[in-house]
Amino acid sequence: MYLGLDLGTSEIKAVVIDEQGKLLASAGEPLDVSRPHPHWVEQNPADWWQATHLAISRLRNKLPQQWQEIRAIGLSGQMHGAVLLSREGKVLRPAILWNDTRSAAECEQLTQSAPELHQVAGNLAMPGFTAPKLLWVARHEPAIFEQTATVLLPKDYLRWMMSGEKVSDMSDAAGTLWLDVAKRDWSDSLLAACGLNRDHMPRLAEGSEVSATLKNDIARAWGLRDNVVIAGGGGDNAASAVGIGAVNPGDAFISLGTSGVLFAVNDRFRPNPQSAVHAFCHALPGRWHQMSVMLTAASALRWYCNLIGTNETTLLAEIAQLSPAQQRQAPLFLPYLSGERTPHNDPNATGAFHGMTHSSDRAALGYAVLEGVAFGMADGLEVMQQAGTRLQQCSLVGGGARSDRWAQLMSDALNLPVVTHSGGEAGGALGAARLGWLAAGGNFAEVCRKPAIERQFLPDVETRGMLGERLATYRQLYQQQVALRSA
């Protein structure tokens, strides 16, 4: 059997699959996020490790007879986070996360000091990426920067705790702005622009390769045999791609988690930074991918539910009762609760409801939230199409995949067939387990096959017309917001 661990922003998820690829069991443990100042988003790496132990314990209790058959572990995780370690391996400060936007000024600094950035890293400097975070630490916390001996990404901190090895994979490393994405190697010039060198970086491995072995004391604590190998793994989206078989050029999926991602597989490095489209390595050798990324997706629905004191299941049932006329009259929602990446690269963008009246009930506002996220995805698809990417169909994964209403909205807004898969909500954890299977010698064609389609959603012509009008207004509202901020 093969264990997959996915370190998300809101929880760590663990799954086990067998050698037929069947999902046998899953477990999760919630995580809290700290927002001590405006634009700051942090977590304590010690909390990740504690949550990992708890998730493993729960999973072990579900499979007591088979547990020791686990042969490999794969890792997936939230990208771009900065874990700073001293020479002694001490965590020097809370990890700065992917949706932290404090380093906007440092993005300008990096762009000016590294003119080769866009071509080598394939991406614009954005506050979410790792490199600007280190420039911020160097400017505002110089004593901590001086003590920093190693910078690890979140999932790679778990690997270090599990194995004592400091390793990252190509897909996650591509999100630092320190990787030469075409060459799949660290860039000395981009590191130097941040006052760093290769000694500060973990070694690199492909996601399907053996990167380390589980330490004996951890294996005993978890009830596993010795010599359990740990795969290189992947950033959460690249791992999710492996999980739903998006491994060949033209394959694509939408992930509705804390953030929202439109992911397309390429056979070569195809950067298009001008439109804030990301170009990264895939978690598999010889493959790359493009992504449009919105910073707030399913987390917008959680935020709204918390605001009105209900749960997602109840709200989604109420939204499903809305008539087409009620949807047409619903307010519009800008989902920029944490700023935005694609296509705006605007850390100062804010969320907003527009067009509320006395008849705007909570179901109408809930519909607006779902629709606003779908419109953000439509913006991302448009700039990917401008970059030459053509998609025929998208799989839907992540927590949002549980909602048929949202899946249909995605199909209508993007004018693409959308399919869901059995186990699609497992996301990165399932892909991580598959990468562990590959590292243990699994056959690529067998491991990376696409799961069976559970549901298919096709664009509705009448709804498309209504959404087109609302999308045009949605885009105008963002431009008005920009104009007001610059006035």
Side-chain angles (χ1 to χ4, degrees), residues 53-72:
H53 281 291
L54 292 171
I56 291 291
S57 177
R58 291 184 181 183
L59 200 56
R60 181 181 178 183
N61 289 336
K62 293 183 177 183
L63 299 166
Q65 305 303 318
Q66 304 153 283
W67 185 249
Q68 285 206 343
E69 297 304 312
I70 289 173
R71 293 289 178 268

Side-chain angles (χ1 to χ4, degrees), residues 176-241:
T176 62
L177 296 184
W178 292 317
L179 194 77
D180 185 321
V181 178
K183 295 181 179 178
R184 303 172 89 93
D185 189 18
W186 296 120
S187 165
D188 293 307
S189 65
L190 295 182
L191 285 167
C194 297
L196 302 170
N197 57 55
R198 286 174 183 259
D199 292 340
H200 292 95
M201 296 295 107
R203 63 180 173 86
L204 293 169
E206 293 289 353
S208 54
E209 293 177 347
V210 174
S211 67
T213 303
L214 193 65
K215 290 192 292 188
N216 289 341
D217 61 327
I218 302 299
R220 285 191 295 272
W222 290 357
L224 296 173
R225 297 180 181 182
D226 293 340
N227 300 318
V228 173
V229 299
I230 304 172
D236 50 4
N237 293 299
S240 293

Side-chain angles (χ1 to χ4, degrees), residues 125-162:
M126 300 181 183
F129 289 115
T130 321
K133 295 176 172 63
L134 267 291
L135 287 173
W136 184 95
V137 172
R139 176 178 293 178
H140 297 277
E141 299 174 348
I144 289 176
F145 185 81
E146 286 299 318
Q147 294 177 68
T148 300
T150 308
V151 183
L152 291 180
L153 294 161
K155 81 171 193 323
D156 301 327
Y157 172 81
L158 292 185
R159 186 198 327 270
W160 180 63
M161 296 295 289
M162 292 163 59

Side-chain angles (χ1 to χ4, degrees), residues 36-37 47 68 140 143 163 179 200 246 308 364 394-395 397 421 438 460:
H37 304 286
D47 293 342
Q68 285 206 343
H140 297 277
S163 69
L179 194 77
H200 292 95
I308 63 173
C394 275
S395 297
V397 303
H421 304 273
L438 288 171
D460 179 85

